[in-house]
Amino acid sequence: MSSPADFYNSLPPVSKSFGTLCVLTTLGYQLGVIKAEWLLLDFALVASKFQIWRLLTNFIFLGPFSMQFGVRILMIAKYGVQLEKGPFDKRTADFVWMFIVSMVALLAMALALPTIRFYVGHALVFMLLYVWSREFANARVSLMGLVTLQGFWLPWALLAVNTMFGHPFLVDLLGIVVGHIYYFLTVLHPQATGHNYLKTPRWVHQLVAQWPRPQAPSTQTTVSPGARTAFSGRSYRLNQ
């Protein structure tokens, strides 16, 4: 890419929007424009004062600028983008539906487990990481430049590292649990039975269809006869 703007514009829409909202929210917090207590997940305030926004804002606040914040943004930029450009290529509605299902599941868990209330954005990032680890299970990943491991083990390795550095492990663990539930119900179970109980609803497809589409570059590519082309995505996950 010729500039950071070109790189940013090349990002797929869902991962770009999620990462951008997280950065802008933390920037507003650091500048004193936004107070942390306005964003936290408080079911009592949601019910008594109808502060519905808390059901969403807790997912886009990853804490103040710090090393941990930077790692989470890089996880979105790398693993979220690879998912959206790879297994979810041309399946933006399915990617959006994965976010919706995961957010609802995490809110339900937060309601049942008061100890993980306030901010569950970290769990949403770990959900992305876990789904990536199943889709790219054989990828070779370097952990902090010290250990190379398969992609399948990356969520568990990062969970162990975060716990060692004092980060509450339960929030990240719940992200892994939600990611596994989603992957099981949309990939493993349909493969075994042919039934997908989390099929993306029509209204999500209709919503995504209204989004503006980026214009393709006005370049022409000549493909020679007999040249091989690659097909991305899985043939068994037909949600549309």
Side-chain angles (χ1 to χ4, degrees), residues 82-103:
Q82 286 185 5
L83 276 176
E84 197 169 352
K85 286 187 172 182
F88 288 90
D89 183 35
K90 297 181 175 63
R91 296 174 54 234
T92 303
D94 296 335
F95 200 58
V96 171
W97 182 239
M98 180 183 72
F99 269 85
I100 294 173
V101 170
S102 299
M103 291 166 68

Side-chain angles (χ1 to χ4, degrees), residues 47 72 102 108 161 196:
R72 292 300 193 273
S102 299
V161 170
N196 185 353

Side-chain angles (χ1 to χ4, degrees), residues 22-134:
C22 291
V23 171
L24 291 178
T25 302
T26 294
L27 180 62
Y29 168 76
Q30 295 288 160
L31 294 176
V33 177
I34 301 174
K35 294 183 179 180
E37 54 266 28
W38 296 348
L39 307 171
L40 60 85
L41 178 60
D42 189 325
F43 289 107
L45 292 176
V46 171
S48 63
K49 296 189 177 182
F50 210 62
Q51 297 181 358
I52 302 297
W53 69 81
R54 295 177 181 274
L55 299 178
L56 298 176
T57 54
N58 72 95
F59 288 109
I60 59 173
F61 184 58
L62 302 179
F65 288 131
S66 63
M67 179 69 72
Q68 186 181 93
F69 172 84
V71 169
R72 292 300 193 273
I73 293 298
L74 288 176
M75 288 167 66
I76 297 171
K78 181 175 182 179
Y79 304 117
V81 168
Q82 286 185 5
L83 276 176
E84 197 169 352
K85 286 187 172 182
F88 288 90
D89 183 35
K90 297 181 175 63
R91 296 174 54 234
T92 303
D94 296 335
F95 200 58
V96 171
W97 182 239
M98 180 183 72
F99 269 85
I100 294 173
V101 170
S102 299
M103 291 166 68
V104 171
L106 287 170
L107 288 174
M109 291 180 176
L111 183 61
L113 300 170
T115 56
I116 68 160
R117 290 183 185 177
F118 307 123
Y119 308 106
V120 288
H122 293 284
L124 192 61
V125 175
F126 251 76
M127 178 279 298
L128 273 178
L129 176 62
Y130 181 83
V131 175
W132 178 92
S133 74
R134 298 304 302 262

Side-chain angles (χ1 to χ4, degrees), residues 3-4 26 37 51 88 93 102 111 136 143 151 155 181 195 201 208 212 221:
S3 70
T26 294
E37 54 266 28
Q51 297 181 358
F88 288 90
S102 299
L111 183 61
F136 298 88
L143 182 63
I181 292 173
H195 299 292
V208 172
T221 303

